[in-house]
């Protein structure tokens, strides 16, 4: 097993993005409203990241079945890089924090940013029916754009059926190219999970609809809009949307899918169209670029302050997690709240989060999936990055929650 060293350095200067500043739409009532009421936030006074603890988390993930694991922390100008294990089981090459990888549902935050920019431009209203913009797409005119972006639409998640059996499900779609309407049709074959706005129920269908809205309102493919609005302005040179291409260009970590059958060999799932996900999960990136993106987002560089406020109107998911508009809030054991998204796509688990002020960001990857032990272990990267060494955690509140496979087939129970 190969272990890379921790490095520190100076981060690139902040990227300024010119934005239109049209007024944000009025917020619909949500179960919880404040961004971090009663909670601490990571700041200059926060404990230093616990590099030793972070390395321990990564090594534990490897002992549980991940070929490799890595994390990068960008802390207001200081960079921490830790990597353990391998990127490629065939060649034995060590994994590197410079490697590209599939970020899975972190893509949802990118999609939400584009739509909120369209709100700023006066082209979209959050509380308008989706059918206003995509006539006849959905069976209920009460489903609004806000419902879609906050997973409160009630639209069934088609991945529950697609990946009910992990490896056979993946192999059936590995090289398949879907149209957006194909995926929505799969969802609409099943009853909705709740009335519009009534409850949070994570569904990839919501962000397929988000992609359709982007393309309808801009007249361009989602990849073009990601590039123009986010990748290029933030100089995210390692962030790509290659759909329906199947390969990850350049130096990258291979992904290894864990079969449902205990003891079965890992499946190299690196090459795929990711067409089953598209605007819900098909972006490729690096730890550096994800840190840069989330820092810019929380610093208000990607949309108006009004739209960022809308993005942080929270629906409580459980005792430690809330969901806004394409953005998660995680409440850590030390009382700190962080903001970003998790990501699961076959062979890759990603955690990408930043502080409320965007000054400290961490992106972490394990190159396996369908492994609950690894998923739960990698959540510990957030604790090490934002809460510091255990001795420094003076406001401990709770044990870490048990993670769920929510990003793919959220209704399917595994393990």
């Amino acid at each position: 097993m190969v272990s890379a060293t921790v490095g520190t350095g100076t981060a690139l200067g902040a990227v300024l993005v010119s934005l239109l500043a049209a007024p944000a739409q009025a917020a619909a009532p949500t179960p919880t409203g404040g961004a971090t009421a009663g909670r601490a936030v990571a700041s200059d006074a926060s404990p230093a990241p616990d590099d030793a603890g972070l390395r321990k988390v990564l090594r534990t993930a490897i002992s549980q079945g991940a070929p490799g694991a890595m994390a990068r922390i960008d802390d207001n100008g200081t960079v921490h890089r830790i990597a353990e294990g391998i990127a490629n089981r065939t060649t034995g090459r060590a994994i590197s924090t410079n490697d590209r990888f599939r970020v899975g549902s972190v893509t949802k935050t990118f999609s939400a940013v584009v739509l909120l920019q369209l709100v700023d431009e006066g082209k979209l209203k959050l509380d308008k029916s989706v059918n206003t913009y995509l006539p006849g797409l959905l069976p209920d005119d009460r489903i609004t754009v806000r419902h879609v972006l906050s997973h409160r639409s009630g639209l069934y998640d088609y991945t529950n059926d697609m990946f009910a059996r992990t490896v056979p499900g993946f192999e059936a779609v590995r090289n398949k190219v879907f149209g957006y309407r194909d995926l929505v049709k799969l969802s609409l074959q099943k009853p909705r999970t709740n009335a519009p706005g009534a409850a949070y129920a994570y569904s990839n269908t919501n962000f397929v609809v988000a992609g359709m809205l982007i393309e309808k309102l801009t007249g361009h493919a989602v990849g073009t809009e990601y590039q123009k609005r986010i990748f290029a302005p933030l100089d995210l040179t390692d962030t790509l949307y290659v759909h329906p291409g199947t390969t990850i260009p350049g130096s990258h970590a291979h992904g290894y899918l864990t079969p449902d059958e205990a003891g079965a060999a890992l499946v190299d799932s690196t090459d795929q169209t990711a067409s089953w996900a598209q605007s819900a999960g098909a972006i490729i990136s690096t730890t550096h670029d994800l840190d840069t993106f989330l820092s810019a987002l929380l610093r208000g560089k990607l949309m108006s302050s009004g739209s960022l406020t809308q993005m942080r109107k929270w629906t409580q998911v459980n005792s430690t997690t809330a969901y806004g508009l394409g953005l998660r809030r995680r409440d850590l054991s030390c009382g700190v709240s962080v903001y970003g998204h998790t990501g699961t796509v076959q062979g890759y688990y990603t955690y990408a989060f930043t502080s409320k002020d965007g000054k400290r960001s961490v992106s972490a990857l394990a190159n396996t999936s369908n492994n609950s032990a690894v998923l739960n272990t990698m959540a510990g990267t957030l604790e090490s990055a934002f809460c510091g060494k255990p001795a420094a955690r003076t406001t401990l509140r709770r044990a870490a929650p048990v993670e769920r496979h929510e990003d793919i087939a959220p209704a399917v129970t595994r393990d």
Side-chain angles (χ1 to χ4, degrees):
M1 190 174 297
V2 181
S3 172
T5 59
V6 180
T8 60
T10 302
L12 293 175
V15 180
L16 299 178
V17 182
S18 298
L19 295 169
L20 295 172
Q25 301 302 311
T30 56
T32 57
T36 55
R39 297 181 177 88
V41 295
S43 68
D44 293 339
S46 299
D50 179 10
D51 288 341
L54 191 56
R55 187 178 294 280
K56 182 178 179 180
V57 168
L58 302 183
R59 287 177 172 173
T60 299
I62 291 170
S63 74
Q64 294 168 332
M70 61 180 175
R72 173 181 171 128
I73 302 170
D74 284 88
D75 187 17
N76 201 27
T78 300
V79 180
H80 304 248
R81 304 175 183 88
I82 303 177
E84 294 280 342
I86 58 176
N88 186 323
R89 297 178 73 218
T90 300
T91 66
R93 181 178 70 80
I95 200 167
S96 165
T97 55
N98 294 323
D99 284 340
R100 293 171 175 167
F101 54 91
R102 297 187 183 278
V103 309
S105 286
V106 182
T107 301
K108 291 178 171 68
T109 308
F110 287 83
S111 296
V113 166
V114 173
L115 286 178
L116 286 164
Q117 288 181 356
L118 291 170
V119 169
D120 285 337
E121 294 164 14
K123 297 176 181 176
L124 178 70
K125 293 185 177 181
L126 291 173
D127 296 309
K128 284 284 191 180
S129 170
V130 168
N131 285 346
T132 300
Y133 305 102
L134 297 166
L137 177 70
L138 302 181
D140 193 331
D141 287 342
R142 295 175 299 166
I143 298 174
T144 67
V145 176
R146 187 187 299 276
H147 292 150
V148 164
L149 294 182
S150 60
H151 292 296
R152 294 185 299 124
S153 69
L155 293 171
Y156 179 79
D157 192 331
Y158 58 86
T159 68
N160 292 329
D161 303 298
M162 191 176 282
F163 302 123
R165 297 176 63 214
T166 299
V167 173
F170 167 65
E171 294 295 1
V173 300
R174 180 198 281 261
N175 295 306
K176 193 167 183 177
V177 177
F178 292 93
Y180 279 129
R181 290 185 179 270
D182 297 330
L183 298 174
V184 173
K185 184 177 180 180
L186 291 175
S187 169
L188 296 181
Q189 289 172 358
K190 293 296 182 73
R192 280 172 280 157
T193 57
N194 52 260
Y200 170 91
Y202 191 96
S203 174
N204 286 286
T205 309
N206 289 314
F207 279 79
V208 169
V209 173
M212 296 180 73
L213 286 167
I214 290 169
E215 295 196 345
K216 177 63 178 293
L217 294 171
T218 66
H220 301 134
V222 292
T224 300
E225 293 300 310
Y226 294 149
Q227 180 66 32
K228 180 178 73 175
R229 294 171 175 272
I230 305 173
F231 301 170
L234 295 180
D235 197 27
L236 306 183
T237 56
D238 286 312
T239 304
L240 311 164
Y241 186 80
V242 301
H243 175 267
T246 60
T247 60
I248 303 177
S251 178
H252 60 274
H254 281 234
Y256 295 96
L257 179 58
T258 306
D260 295 331
E261 298 76 21
L266 296 177
V267 174
D268 189 324
S269 52
T270 310
D271 291 344
Q272 60 166 300
T273 61
S275 193
W276 65 268
Q278 298 187 55
S279 51
I283 282 177
I284 294 162
S285 191
T286 62
T287 55
H288 167 269
D289 280 8
L290 291 181
D291 282 357
T292 300
F293 166 62
L294 289 172
S295 177
L297 174 58
L298 268 292
R299 290 183 189 223
K301 305 299 182 184
L302 288 172
M303 64 185 68
S304 70
S305 61
S307 284
L308 186 56
T309 296
Q310 296 301 314
M311 197 177 204
R312 294 182 294 182
K313 293 285 185 179
W314 306 112
T315 298
Q316 200 68 33
V317 176
N318 56 42
S319 63
T320 59
T321 306
Y323 205 92
L325 303 182
L327 188 71
R328 293 188 190 274
R329 189 193 75 215
R330 296 289 294 255
D331 305 329
L332 304 181
S333 67
C334 58
V336 167
S337 293
V338 293
Y339 307 85
H341 216 288
T342 51
T344 302
V345 67
Q346 290 88 356
Y348 302 91
Y349 280 142
T350 302
Y351 284 82
F353 285 82
T354 192
S355 57
K356 184 182 180 183
D357 58 12
K359 291 183 178 180
R360 182 182 298 180
S361 301
V362 63
S363 294
L365 170 81
N367 60 342
T368 195
S369 68
N370 195 37
N371 183 322
S372 292
V374 171
L375 177 68
N376 276 280
T377 291
M378 290 299 290
T381 59
L382 304 181
E383 297 283 333
S384 294
F386 294 101
C387 294
K389 295 180 180 179
R393 302 175 193 176
T394 58
T395 58
L396 291 174
R397 298 184 306 173
R398 60 173 74 89
V402 175
E403 300 291 322
R404 293 181 61 242
H405 289 279
E406 188 173 60
D407 294 329
I408 295 181
V412 177
T413 302
R414 304 195 191 280
D415 301 322

mmCIF file of all heavy atoms in Angstrom, residues 47-71:
data_model
loop_
_atom_site.group_PDB
_atom_site.id
_atom_site.type_symbol
_atom_site.label_atom_id
_atom_site.label_comp_id
_atom_site.label_asym_id
_atom_site.label_seq_id
_atom_site.Cartn_x
_atom_site.Cartn_y
_atom_site.Cartn_z
ATOM 1 N N PRO A 47 -10.480 24.903 15.165
ATOM 2 C CA PRO A 47 -9.257 24.108 15.359
ATOM 3 C C PRO A 47 -8.607 23.787 14.025
ATOM 4 O O PRO A 47 -9.285 23.672 13.005
ATOM 5 C CB PRO A 47 -9.779 22.832 16.031
ATOM 6 C CG PRO A 47 -11.119 23.176 16.577
ATOM 7 C CD PRO A 47 -11.683 24.232 15.679
ATOM 8 N N ALA A 48 -7.302 23.654 14.029
ATOM 9 C CA ALA A 48 -6.587 23.266 12.813
ATOM 10 C C ALA A 48 -7.043 21.887 12.370
ATOM 11 O O ALA A 48 -7.405 21.040 13.200
ATOM 12 C CB ALA A 48 -5.084 23.268 13.068
ATOM 13 N N PRO A 49 -7.064 21.615 11.066
ATOM 14 C CA PRO A 49 -7.421 20.274 10.597
ATOM 15 C C PRO A 49 -6.519 19.218 11.221
ATOM 16 O O PRO A 49 -5.323 19.448 11.472
ATOM 17 C CB PRO A 49 -7.194 20.363 9.084
ATOM 18 C CG PRO A 49 -7.368 21.813 8.753
ATOM 19 C CD PRO A 49 -6.799 22.541 9.933
ATOM 20 N N ASP A 50 -7.075 18.067 11.478
ATOM 21 C CA ASP A 50 -6.360 16.953 12.089
ATOM 22 C C ASP A 50 -5.847 16.032 10.984
ATOM 23 O O ASP A 50 -6.538 15.106 10.566
ATOM 24 C CB ASP A 50 -7.302 16.211 13.041
ATOM 25 C CG ASP A 50 -6.657 15.006 13.709
ATOM 26 O OD1 ASP A 50 -5.429 14.841 13.585
ATOM 27 O OD2 ASP A 50 -7.393 14.237 14.363
ATOM 28 N N ASP A 51 -4.632 16.287 10.522
ATOM 29 C CA ASP A 51 -4.077 15.500 9.422
ATOM 30 C C ASP A 51 -3.890 14.037 9.805
ATOM 31 O O ASP A 51 -4.140 13.135 9.004
ATOM 32 C CB ASP A 51 -2.740 16.090 8.970
ATOM 33 C CG ASP A 51 -2.904 17.406 8.228
ATOM 34 O OD1 ASP A 51 -4.029 17.689 7.753
ATOM 35 O OD2 ASP A 51 -1.917 18.164 8.124
ATOM 36 N N ALA A 52 -3.443 13.797 11.037
ATOM 37 C CA ALA A 52 -3.243 12.409 11.478
ATOM 38 C C ALA A 52 -4.581 11.677 11.527
ATOM 39 O O ALA A 52 -4.689 10.515 11.120
ATOM 40 C CB ALA A 52 -2.561 12.387 12.843
ATOM 41 N N GLY A 53 -5.603 12.358 12.017
ATOM 42 C CA GLY A 53 -6.926 11.750 12.050
ATOM 43 C C GLY A 53 -7.467 11.498 10.664
ATOM 44 O O GLY A 53 -8.109 10.466 10.407
ATOM 45 N N LEU A 54 -7.194 12.421 9.747
ATOM 46 C CA LEU A 54 -7.639 12.263 8.366
ATOM 47 C C LEU A 54 -6.962 11.063 7.724
ATOM 48 O O LEU A 54 -7.606 10.246 7.037
ATOM 49 C CB LEU A 54 -7.333 13.543 7.587
ATOM 50 C CG LEU A 54 -7.945 13.683 6.202
ATOM 51 C CD1 LEU A 54 -9.458 13.549 6.234
ATOM 52 C CD2 LEU A 54 -7.560 15.030 5.594
ATOM 53 N N ARG A 55 -5.676 10.932 7.946
ATOM 54 C CA ARG A 55 -4.955 9.777 7.385
ATOM 55 C C ARG A 55 -5.522 8.470 7.949
ATOM 56 O O ARG A 55 -5.667 7.474 7.223
ATOM 57 C CB ARG A 55 -3.467 9.889 7.688
ATOM 58 C CG ARG A 55 -2.637 8.818 6.991
ATOM 59 C CD ARG A 55 -1.151 8.974 7.277
ATOM 60 N NE ARG A 55 -0.621 10.191 6.707
ATOM 61 C CZ ARG A 55 -0.290 10.339 5.423
ATOM 62 N NH1 ARG A 55 -0.471 9.333 4.581
ATOM 63 N NH2 ARG A 55 0.213 11.469 4.986
ATOM 64 N N LYS A 56 -5.862 8.478 9.221
ATOM 65 C CA LYS A 56 -6.435 7.277 9.834
ATOM 66 C C LYS A 56 -7.765 6.917 9.186
ATOM 67 O O LYS A 56 -8.049 5.742 8.933
ATOM 68 C CB LYS A 56 -6.622 7.502 11.331
ATOM 69 C CG LYS A 56 -7.164 6.284 12.076
ATOM 70 C CD LYS A 56 -7.282 6.554 13.563
ATOM 71 C CE LYS A 56 -7.845 5.334 14.301
ATOM 72 N NZ LYS A 56 -7.967 5.593 15.765
ATOM 73 N N VAL A 57 -8.579 7.914 8.893
ATOM 74 C CA VAL A 57 -9.849 7.678 8.206
ATOM 75 C C VAL A 57 -9.602 7.012 6.853
ATOM 76 O O VAL A 57 -10.253 6.016 6.499
ATOM 77 C CB VAL A 57 -10.623 9.001 8.029
ATOM 78 C CG1 VAL A 57 -11.791 8.818 7.063
ATOM 79 C CG2 VAL A 57 -11.126 9.518 9.366
ATOM 80 N N LEU A 58 -8.666 7.537 6.081
ATOM 81 C CA LEU A 58 -8.402 6.997 4.750
ATOM 82 C C LEU A 58 -7.878 5.569 4.833
ATOM 83 O O LEU A 58 -8.276 4.700 4.040
ATOM 84 C CB LEU A 58 -7.402 7.892 4.018
ATOM 85 C CG LEU A 58 -7.809 9.366 3.840
ATOM 86 C CD1 LEU A 58 -6.748 10.108 3.017
ATOM 87 C CD2 LEU A 58 -9.181 9.502 3.192
ATOM 88 N N ARG A 59 -6.992 5.310 5.789
ATOM 89 C CA ARG A 59 -6.455 3.953 5.929
ATOM 90 C C ARG A 59 -7.541 2.975 6.362
ATOM 91 O O ARG A 59 -7.551 1.817 5.936
ATOM 92 C CB ARG A 59 -5.300 3.964 6.928
ATOM 93 C CG ARG A 59 -4.043 4.621 6.363
ATOM 94 C CD ARG A 59 -2.924 4.683 7.389
ATOM 95 N NE ARG A 59 -1.680 5.144 6.769
ATOM 96 C CZ ARG A 59 -0.568 5.421 7.446
ATOM 97 N NH1 ARG A 59 -0.551 5.285 8.776
ATOM 98 N NH2 ARG A 59 0.514 5.827 6.811
ATOM 99 N N THR A 60 -8.462 3.436 7.204
ATOM 100 C CA THR A 60 -9.561 2.571 7.612
ATOM 101 C C THR A 60 -10.429 2.219 6.406
ATOM 102 O O THR A 60 -10.850 1.061 6.245
ATOM 103 C CB THR A 60 -10.410 3.260 8.696
ATOM 104 O OG1 THR A 60 -9.590 3.520 9.842
ATOM 105 C CG2 THR A 60 -11.584 2.391 9.102
ATOM 106 N N ALA A 61 -10.700 3.198 5.551
ATOM 107 C CA ALA A 61 -11.498 2.937 4.353
ATOM 108 C C ALA A 61 -10.837 1.876 3.478
ATOM 109 O O ALA A 61 -11.521 1.009 2.909
ATOM 110 C CB ALA A 61 -11.708 4.231 3.567
ATOM 111 N N ILE A 62 -9.527 1.933 3.381
ATOM 112 C CA ILE A 62 -8.809 0.934 2.584
ATOM 113 C C ILE A 62 -8.920 -0.449 3.231
ATOM 114 O O ILE A 62 -9.126 -1.455 2.552
ATOM 115 C CB ILE A 62 -7.347 1.367 2.395
ATOM 116 C CG1 ILE A 62 -7.300 2.597 1.477
ATOM 117 C CG2 ILE A 62 -6.507 0.232 1.819
ATOM 118 C CD1 ILE A 62 -5.958 3.263 1.406
ATOM 119 N N SER A 63 -8.819 -0.500 4.545
ATOM 120 C CA SER A 63 -8.941 -1.786 5.235
ATOM 121 C C SER A 63 -10.328 -2.384 5.065
ATOM 122 O O SER A 63 -10.522 -3.600 5.199
ATOM 123 C CB SER A 63 -8.621 -1.611 6.726
ATOM 124 O OG SER A 63 -9.681 -0.963 7.416
ATOM 125 N N GLN A 64 -11.300 -1.538 4.750
ATOM 126 C CA GLN A 64 -12.688 -1.995 4.574
ATOM 127 C C GLN A 64 -13.029 -2.312 3.124
ATOM 128 O O GLN A 64 -14.172 -2.696 2.848
ATOM 129 C CB GLN A 64 -13.643 -0.921 5.102
ATOM 130 C CG GLN A 64 -13.536 -0.716 6.615
ATOM 131 C CD GLN A 64 -14.259 0.537 7.077
ATOM 132 O OE1 GLN A 64 -14.396 1.512 6.322
ATOM 133 N NE2 GLN A 64 -14.707 0.548 8.320
ATOM 134 N N GLY A 65 -12.079 -2.146 2.211
ATOM 135 C CA GLY A 65 -12.320 -2.571 0.846
ATOM 136 C C GLY A 65 -12.089 -1.556 -0.246
ATOM 137 O O GLY A 65 -12.192 -1.895 -1.427
ATOM 138 N N ALA A 66 -11.783 -0.307 0.099
ATOM 139 C CA ALA A 66 -11.486 0.682 -0.944
ATOM 140 C C ALA A 66 -10.045 0.495 -1.414
ATOM 141 O O ALA A 66 -9.129 0.433 -0.592
ATOM 142 C CB ALA A 66 -11.669 2.089 -0.402
ATOM 143 N N PRO A 67 -9.811 0.417 -2.726
ATOM 144 C CA PRO A 67 -8.422 0.329 -3.194
ATOM 145 C C PRO A 67 -7.604 1.556 -2.808
ATOM 146 O O PRO A 67 -6.414 1.454 -2.505
ATOM 147 C CB PRO A 67 -8.580 0.213 -4.710
ATOM 148 C CG PRO A 67 -9.931 -0.405 -4.895
ATOM 149 C CD PRO A 67 -10.779 0.226 -3.818
ATOM 150 N N GLY A 68 -8.226 2.739 -2.845
ATOM 151 C CA GLY A 68 -7.525 3.974 -2.509
ATOM 152 C C GLY A 68 -8.480 4.979 -1.896
ATOM 153 O O GLY A 68 -9.699 4.847 -1.992
ATOM 154 N N ALA A 69 -7.892 5.974 -1.243
ATOM 155 C CA ALA A 69 -8.701 7.046 -0.654
ATOM 156 C C ALA A 69 -7.811 8.277 -0.530
ATOM 157 O O ALA A 69 -6.593 8.162 -0.313
ATOM 158 C CB ALA A 69 -9.256 6.646 0.705
ATOM 159 N N MET A 70 -8.424 9.459 -0.662
ATOM 160 C CA MET A 70 -7.637 10.696 -0.622
ATOM 161 C C MET A 70 -8.503 11.847 -0.166
ATOM 162 O O MET A 70 -9.736 11.776 -0.195
ATOM 163 C CB MET A 70 -7.056 11.007 -1.994
ATOM 164 C CG MET A 70 -8.084 11.229 -3.092
ATOM 165 S SD MET A 70 -7.294 11.600 -4.669
ATOM 166 C CE MET A 70 -8.699 11.652 -5.772
ATOM 167 N N ALA A 71 -7.835 12.903 0.283
ATOM 168 C CA ALA A 71 -8.543 14.114 0.688
ATOM 169 C C ALA A 71 -7.627 15.313 0.514
ATOM 170 O O ALA A 71 -6.411 15.225 0.698
ATOM 171 C CB ALA A 71 -9.004 14.012 2.136
#
